[in-house]
Amino acid sequence: MPVKSKIILITGASSGIGEATARLLAGIGHRVLLGARRTGRLAALSEELRATGASVAHRELDVTSLDSVNAFAAAGTEEYGRIDVLINNAGVMPLSPVGDLRIAEWEQMIDVNLRGVLYGIAAVLPGMRRQGGGHIVNVSSVSGHRVDPTAAVYSATKFGVAALSEGLRQESRDIRVTVVSPGFTQSELTDRGGSAEAQGAARAAAEQLAIPASAIARAIAFAIDQPANVDVNELIVRPTAQG
């Protein structure tokens, strides 16, 4: 059991890293509010976790809508009285060469991967400052540290998350900021959008290399469960075999 049970909001919680993180954090005694667009999945996950005695609630969430993100944060405060941790996990990754000019997908990545993180911060930061503490965990990617062909725009959004997180960290003395950068991880990121060739190559690599989403969940839990005066700023977690 953790030293202190925390109130934790998780975006993109219906699958992949978000789901695995919800399972782990709820299982060790934290109280969690899950958000995603696929409310059917959220409801099933919440019901499953509550059956084990966990404290779990869920709300529909579209991170590209500031109103939706604000309502999600307000629901967390209403449900639990405060917000200790926000995990900005929602993300999309439709890979394609820049020359394909898949502009709608570029905009989607900017809206979800970067604007969504900004909206999450905006929704919880004032309350965290009023209560004198809090923790924002931004899920980035190894692609926020390197750029590969077909991942230029995706990488741009993840480099942006790293810059935003570091700037927020430097501006804060009572808010902890952590960036977690997964390598190949079992998820649904390669299932939607992008060019068929690029997404197929990413799926093939993931099938050979991907680590379970629970590995990233454990990294997030490690950062969250440090003492209040310890800020784990960055964690890169990738398969041993990944180049």
Side-chain angles (χ1 to χ4, degrees):
M1 294 293 290
V3 174
K4 178 185 176 184
S5 177
K6 295 181 178 179
I7 313 304
I8 302 175
L9 275 56
I10 306 174
T11 75
S14 61
S15 65
I17 292 170
E19 178 185 349
T21 302
R23 291 182 180 279
L24 177 59
L25 296 180
I28 60 177
H30 294 296
R31 289 170 286 175
V32 299
L33 176 64
L34 312 180
R37 291 173 302 166
R38 294 180 291 185
T39 54
R41 287 194 178 192
L42 288 182
L45 177 59
S46 297
E47 183 178 356
E48 176 188 343
L49 295 176
R50 283 195 296 268
T52 68
S55 178
V56 181
H58 70 277
R59 295 289 186 278
E60 183 176 8
L61 173 64
D62 176 2
V63 299
T64 69
S65 163
L66 181 57
D67 288 343
S68 180
V69 177
N70 282 335
F72 180 60
T77 302
E78 181 180 353
E79 182 82 21
Y80 296 114
R82 61 184 282 135
I83 298 169
D84 296 310
V85 182
L86 169 67
I87 301 174
N88 275 316
N89 166 72
V92 293
M93 190 184 72
L95 301 176
S96 65
V98 174
D100 283 2
L101 301 181
R102 301 172 78 103
I103 294 172
E105 290 181 348
W106 299 353
E107 292 173 341
Q108 181 192 30
M109 282 187 278
I110 293 168
D111 287 345
V112 175
N113 298 353
L114 186 54
R115 200 188 308 274
V117 171
L118 282 162
Y119 286 170
I121 292 170
V124 304
L125 188 59
M128 287 182 174
R129 287 193 164 147
R130 283 194 299 270
Q131 69 197 22
H135 193 172
I136 295 172
V137 179
N138 294 328
V139 178
S140 180
S141 170
V142 166
S143 293
H145 299 265
R146 56 180 286 175
V147 182
D148 295 303
T150 75
V153 179
Y154 179 70
S155 289
T157 64
K158 295 302 186 178
F159 271 81
V161 168
L164 169 62
S165 302
E166 176 61 11
L168 178 60
R169 183 195 70 79
Q170 292 190 30
E171 293 173 4
S172 304
R173 292 298 177 266
D174 51 4
I175 309 298
R176 301 193 295 173
V177 182
T178 300
V179 180
V180 178
S181 298
F184 281 114
T185 303
Q186 293 170 2
S187 73
E188 298 178 356
L189 279 179
T190 59
D191 291 349
R192 292 182 293 274
S195 75
E197 182 178 357
Q199 296 290 75
R203 281 193 295 273
E207 287 172 3
Q208 292 186 351
L209 299 174
I211 55 178
S214 59
I216 311 304
R218 289 194 297 271
I220 293 171
F222 169 78
I224 288 172
D225 287 337
Q226 297 304 303
N229 65 338
V230 176
D231 190 0
V232 178
N233 301 137
E234 187 166 9
L235 291 164
I236 303 175
V237 184
R238 71 182 99 191
T240 305
Q242 183 173 347

